[in-house]
Amino acid sequence: MEAILERAWKLKQNLIDFVLDAEGELAVALEAYIAAGSSRDRYDIAQQNQLVDSFIIEGKVGERSPLDLFIAQTDLEDGDRLLLDNWRRSFTGLFEISQILPDGFELINWLTAKHYRVKINNSDPLKDTAKLKPGEILLVRIAPLTDSYWMFSGHHILMGKLGKPKLAVAIGNFKQNHKNALYSDAPELLEQAWQSVEQYHQDFTDFFGSDEITLSGYHLNKKIAEFQEVITKKRLAEAGIDSSKSLDEIAAESGVDATKIRAEATEMGADADTVDRMFGKANSQMVMPKIDLPDSIKKVEQVTAISNPRWGQMFLPTYAQIKALLETEDGESLPNANKLVRNYLEDPTINAFIWQRLAQTYPTQLEKVLQTVLERPDFNLERDLDTLLQEYNKPLEPQLPEIASVPLHLHNLFQEAMTEVNKSKSKPQDKKKGSKGFKS
C-alpha cells in the first residue's frame, strides 16, 4: 500500500504539472473553469487548488477531460494506467473525520452517509493533515487507491467542529457551490432525487390542472399547503398506511410506541417518507422537503407558480407583468419594460427554462423587446438567446431543484438544526453577545 500511495502522489504531481504547464485549448479551458468556479463568496489559494484538482477530472477540452489527454500523451505502465483510470471516480465531498487511524483517517461523507478509509504516509505533501481531529469537517476531494482505500486528491479546507445549525449551513453551501458533486458517490440517491422532481411535477399538474397557476400570494400559499396535504396522503396510501386512522390506531396495529410516532411525525412535518420510515417500510431512503412560499412574496398581489419535471418549481411575483408586456403590441416602449427585462436577466432565480418558455410563447415580441432593451438591433432570438443567458450566468441545463427529495439523515439534520435555533431564539439573549440565526 505504501508503494501504491507514493506512486499515486508522483503521478498526481505529474498530472498537475501537465495541466498547469499546458498551452492552447487546455490552458484556455482551465482559465474558463477557474473563472466560473471562483465566482463564489470565498476564493483563496486553497479553493484555487481544489478547482484545478476538480478540473482534471470534470473539465472538458473538446470532448475529453484533462485526465484523458494526460493518459493519451504519457508513456505509462499498466499499473499506473489502471490507477489513473480509477481516478475518474474521485469526487469532492463534505466529510466528517470519524476516526484517526495509524496511517490515515476514516471519513463520513455527510451528503450520502458513506464511509471511506483515506491513507496518508510520511511522504504525503499534505503535512497539515497531522493536525486533524475526530469530529472536524473537511471540504476535500478524495481519489481511489484500491477498491477499499482512498487518498486525499489535493488540499483540504478545514471547517472545524460544527454544531448542527452550522453544519446544516455548510451542507446548504455545498449544495449551492458544488452542484455537480451532489451525491456523486451515490448515483442511486441522485436518481431517486430526480425521480422525486418528476413525481412532484405530475402531482402538481394533477392537483392544479395545469403546470402554471397565478393567484395572490396569500391564496397561493394556502393552495400549496392543501396540495402538500393531498400528496402526503397519497404517499401514505402508496406505502400501505391508512391515513383515515389515527396514529394511535396505526401504532397499536404495528406495535410501535404512539408517543414516539406522534413526536417524530409532528417534528418532521409528517411527510410520507418519514412516516414510511417510522413504520419500517422499505422505501425510506429519501424524504420530500416541505415546500413553503417565500415570505417575501406571501403578500404580493399576483404570484405565478410554474412546475417542470426537470427544472422543478418556481415562484414568480412578476411573471404576469412580463407576460402582459409581451402581449402588448409595443411592449418594448412601455415605461417598465427596461427594468422588468433586465431584472429577468440579472435575477438568478429566473432560470433558462423561464426564458425558453417565454421565447416559445412570444417569440416575435420577446425578440423586439430584447433588441430595444439591450440596444442590439441585430439580436436574433433563435440564434442568440442561449448565448445571452450564458452571459448572465444562467445554466442551460437544469440542476437538481430544491423540491427534490433529500436523504433521510440530511432531512433529520436540518430539522434538528432548526429546532436548536428556535430554542435559542426563545431564550433571553445576552445584549452584548447577541445571537446568530440559522440560514439555509
Side-chain angles (χ1 to χ4, degrees), residues 8 16 29 97 99 112 135 169 179 183 189 208 225 243 278-279 286-287 385 428:
I16 291 286
I97 301 172
Q99 189 177 356
T112 61
V169 171
K179 293 182 184 295
Y183 314 138
L189 295 183
F208 289 106
S243 61
M278 288 189 287
F279 289 95
M286 306 289 279
V287 178
L385 180 59

Side-chain angles (χ1 to χ4, degrees), residues 134-204:
E136 291 185 319
I137 304 296
L138 306 175
L139 175 63
V140 68
R141 191 177 189 90
I142 62 174
L145 289 169
T146 67
D147 289 342
S148 303
Y149 295 102
W150 296 66
M151 61 180 272
F152 287 124
S153 181
H155 292 267
H156 64 266
I157 294 174
L158 176 62
M159 298 184 178
K161 294 184 178 181
L162 303 178
K164 289 176 181 177
K166 289 186 177 180
L167 179 57
V169 171
I171 290 171
N173 289 338
F174 182 90
K175 291 173 69 177
Q176 181 65 35
N177 295 331
H178 301 274
K179 293 182 184 295
N180 292 336
L182 199 59
Y183 314 138
S184 52
D185 61 332
E188 71 282 1
L189 295 183
L190 185 61
E191 182 180 358
Q192 287 180 52
W194 278 113
Q195 288 174 350
S196 74
V197 178
E198 294 179 8
Q199 184 59 58
Y200 185 95
H201 171 72
Q202 185 60 56
D203 291 334
F204 184 98

Side-chain angles (χ1 to χ4, degrees), residues 275-318:
V275 175
D276 209 19
R277 174 182 70 85
M278 288 189 287
F279 289 95
K281 301 297 180 181
N283 184 25
S284 59
Q285 276 188 294
M286 306 289 279
V287 178
M288 184 184 71
K290 189 171 184 290
I291 306 299
D292 287 314
L293 204 65
D295 289 338
S296 59
I297 57 177
K298 284 181 180 178
K299 296 182 180 180
V300 174
E301 187 175 339
Q302 281 190 317
V303 180
T304 300
I306 297 177
S307 176
N308 180 269
R310 296 292 290 170
W311 291 89
Q313 180 173 262
M314 293 136 277
F315 294 119
L316 307 171
T318 58

Side-chain angles (χ1 to χ4, degrees), residues 241 247 250-251 254 256 261 274-281:
I241 298 173
L247 282 175
I250 298 173
S254 62
V256 180
I261 292 172
T274 302
V275 175
D276 209 19
R277 174 182 70 85
M278 288 189 287
F279 289 95
K281 301 297 180 181

Side-chain angles (χ1 to χ4, degrees), residues 295-356:
D295 289 338
S296 59
I297 57 177
K298 284 181 180 178
K299 296 182 180 180
V300 174
E301 187 175 339
Q302 281 190 317
V303 180
T304 300
I306 297 177
S307 176
N308 180 269
R310 296 292 290 170
W311 291 89
Q313 180 173 262
M314 293 136 277
F315 294 119
L316 307 171
T318 58
Y319 194 67
Q321 295 176 35
I322 200 161
K323 284 175 63 176
L325 183 150
L326 295 174
E327 289 168 357
T328 303
E329 187 172 345
D330 296 319
E332 68 274 15
S333 63
L334 295 177
N336 67 332
N338 192 299
K339 181 180 179 180
L340 190 56
V341 172
R342 289 200 176 277
N343 176 65
Y344 264 60
L345 287 171
E346 294 166 3
D347 187 342
T349 66
I350 309 297
N351 56 39
F353 165 72
I354 295 299
W355 277 95
Q356 292 160 359

Side-chain angles (χ1 to χ4, degrees), residues 79-123:
D80 292 345
R81 187 178 297 275
L82 178 61
L83 187 59
L84 288 167
D85 279 335
N86 282 337
W87 285 356
R88 301 180 202 282
R89 294 193 290 122
S90 72
F91 67 97
T92 300
L94 195 67
F95 298 93
E96 179 176 336
I97 301 172
S98 62
Q99 189 177 356
I100 304 292
L101 305 173
D103 57 351
F105 306 92
E106 181 170 322
L107 305 180
I108 301 173
N109 181 5
W110 252 105
L111 274 296
T112 61
K114 292 195 173 186
H115 292 243
Y116 296 90
R117 289 206 160 194
V118 176
K119 293 284 187 179
I120 58 172
N121 66 6
N122 292 332
S123 64

